[in-house]
Amino acid sequence: MFGFIRPLKPELRVREAERFQSVYCGLCHTIGRRYGQLHTLFLSYDMTFLALTLLSLPPEAPPMCRRRCVASPLRPKAVCPSGPELERTADLSVLLVYHKLRDTVADERGAKRLLGRLGAAAVRPGYNKARSHLPEVDKEMAGCLEELRALEQARVPSLDRPADTFARLLAGVAPEAGADTERILRQMFYHTGRWVYLLDACADLAEDLASGAYNPVALRFGLSSPDLSPVRRELEITLERSLADIYNAFQLLTVYRDRELLENIICLGMPMVTRQVLDGTYQSNGGQSRHGSL
């Protein structure tokens, strides 16, 4: 997906950093086993956050194991073993990647459109398999993206309408987990989706202005340059509101592990990325070049 959702590493305990990495690696192994190594290239911290959230809910947790991989062929690394939570997250990752590539084909022109078309064709077999596992989720995703595409084509000058559509898409990934838990998860993921969509619009502002692509931030505030300083406070307010709603929903969850790690991501990591995007200092993957480096 986008890679915005990450912990603030300096504030993590050693065991929390190791836990985050082990879930990332476990999800990578699960995707590779279920769909092939090509799909692991699209793995993001966003999906690790989703996996951590789902893994925090069962009372029992499987023990860690150690495995080698292409990224660490000599030294085995601690890995969260595959299970229902990682398998569901792997399926969701493949669905989201495919739909994002199809969205690129619909929205972009030239080289980007060609790359999107090639990427979508390459991941199509995996997508078909993931769709067979989660047909209702895929249907909801496709419907939301069709609605979002209509708003983009109409160049709707609103933050809330397209952000709500993408937020409903992400809310739809919540598993069936009992009425109360599912409702809480849907709220938590809804506001996460809203935050991701608006932050991505801010991050893409310069590129969208140059290409003439739809950007709700530019249209809502009538921006003709990528300088966000005139509207920064208004953007901070709406993004901080989403972060507060994510945390309020999270507080209602009954979690059996990783509370401090998840709170670090929600209360420290995501606000840090918000500031970086708004002041123009954000770097994908934290400025690291290694796959999965934290």
Side-chain angles (χ1 to χ4, degrees):
M1 282 175 62
F2 299 90
F4 292 136
I5 306 174
R6 63 180 61 162
L8 182 59
K9 186 177 179 181
E11 296 298 326
L12 288 176
R13 297 185 179 94
V14 172
R15 69 172 182 270
E16 291 168 349
E18 291 176 348
R19 171 64 171 172
F20 185 90
Q21 192 68 51
S22 73
V23 172
Y24 181 98
C25 291
L27 183 54
C28 188
H29 278 282
T30 302
I31 292 173
R33 176 176 57 81
R34 287 170 76 83
Y35 296 104
Q37 292 304 310
L38 172 65
H39 291 271
T40 66
L41 299 177
F42 298 98
L43 177 58
S44 71
Y45 290 149
D46 301 344
M47 302 311 295
T48 308
F49 170 71
L50 174 59
L52 277 165
T53 303
L54 300 184
L55 286 164
S56 73
L57 302 177
E60 302 296 329
M64 292 293 104
C65 58
R66 301 189 72 84
R67 292 179 182 167
R68 294 181 177 87
C69 66
V70 175
S72 182
L74 300 178
R75 183 171 64 89
K77 299 176 69 174
V79 173
C80 180
S82 185
E85 294 80 20
L86 288 188
E87 289 176 353
R88 180 180 180 86
T89 308
D91 297 342
L92 291 168
S93 177
V94 172
L95 291 177
L96 287 164
V97 164
Y98 177 79
H99 284 299
K100 190 172 189 301
L101 288 168
R102 292 301 305 167
D103 192 54
T104 298
V105 173
D107 293 344
E108 300 292 345
R109 297 292 181 270
K112 283 190 175 182
R113 186 174 190 177
L114 176 61
L115 288 173
R117 194 185 300 276
L118 292 173
V123 303
R124 176 81 190 196
Y127 162 72
N128 288 335
K129 183 178 178 181
R131 181 176 59 177
S132 70
H133 293 152
L134 299 173
E136 292 304 316
V137 174
D138 177 68
K139 183 178 179 181
E140 190 166 358
M141 283 184 185
C144 287
L145 285 172
E146 184 177 347
E147 185 178 334
L148 183 59
R149 197 168 296 120
L151 293 172
E152 292 173 348
Q153 290 174 349
R155 301 187 71 81
V156 173
S158 167
L159 296 182
D160 289 332
R161 288 181 65 189
D164 168 75
T165 305
F166 188 81
R168 286 189 281 110
L169 181 154
L170 206 59
V173 310
E176 295 180 2
D180 289 341
T181 300
E182 184 177 348
R183 176 178 56 81
I184 293 167
L185 287 173
R186 288 187 71 93
Q187 281 295 303
M188 184 175 170
F189 295 152
Y190 173 92
H191 293 293
T192 300
R194 184 181 188 277
W195 177 84
V196 165
Y197 181 84
L198 292 176
L199 201 65
D200 184 60
C202 293
D204 288 348
L205 181 59
E207 185 177 344
D208 289 343
L209 286 172
S211 67
Y214 175 77
N215 187 292
V217 173
L219 291 173
R220 165 64 179 80
F221 296 107
L223 298 178
S224 57
S225 81
D227 180 17
L228 288 171
S229 56
V231 297
R232 174 168 179 155
R233 185 56 192 151
E234 290 179 76
L235 289 169
E236 284 177 337
I237 290 171
T238 193
L239 290 165
E240 288 169 359
R241 185 180 69 192
S242 289
L243 291 176
D245 288 336
I246 295 167
Y247 186 65
N248 289 337
F250 174 69
Q251 288 290 86
L252 298 175
L253 277 179
T254 300
V255 299
Y256 291 93
R257 63 195 60 82
D258 299 325
R259 175 174 291 278
E260 293 83 3
L261 174 53
L262 288 164
E263 287 184 338
N264 176 292
I265 295 171
I266 297 168
C267 300
L268 299 176
M270 293 168 75
M272 173 196 68
V273 172
T274 301
R275 291 191 297 271
Q276 290 175 342
V277 169
L278 293 182
D279 65 23
T281 61
Y282 172 75
Q283 291 180 290
S284 179
N285 203 22
Q288 302 291 328
S289 60
R290 293 180 293 121
H291 178 55
S293 58
L294 180 60

